[in-house]
Amino acid sequence: MIAYEGAAGRIAAEMIAPAPPGVPRLVPGQRITAAHVAWLVANRDAGAFVMDPVDPTESTIRVVQG
């Protein structure tokens, strides 16, 4: 688990799907970019709903160790 702000360049180990529409924004195995981080932080701060995050506070994301 790593803070959203430190996740750029890491590999996602969980799916992030905002709802609506429920379309995944990140999937396991996908490299997290700075644009993903900006989107995650902005949506968290705006109170957006993310389906089934591992961290219910939506402040960290599960990544591949490495």
Side-chain angles (χ1 to χ4, degrees):
M1 301 297 286
I2 192 166
Y4 283 172
E5 293 81 357
R10 305 295 295 268
I11 304 295
E14 70 173 301
M15 183 170 53
I16 300 292
V23 175
R25 187 72 181 216
L26 280 170
V27 295
Q30 184 175 2
R31 185 163 307 275
I32 302 168
T33 67
H36 289 120
V37 171
W39 181 90
L40 288 165
V41 170
N43 280 273
R44 176 198 60 208
D45 293 350
F49 177 75
V50 176
M51 294 174 26
D52 301 322
V54 172
D55 176 3
T57 68
E58 296 180 21
S59 60
T60 63
I61 185 171
R62 183 184 292 180
V63 296
V64 174
Q65 185 178 357

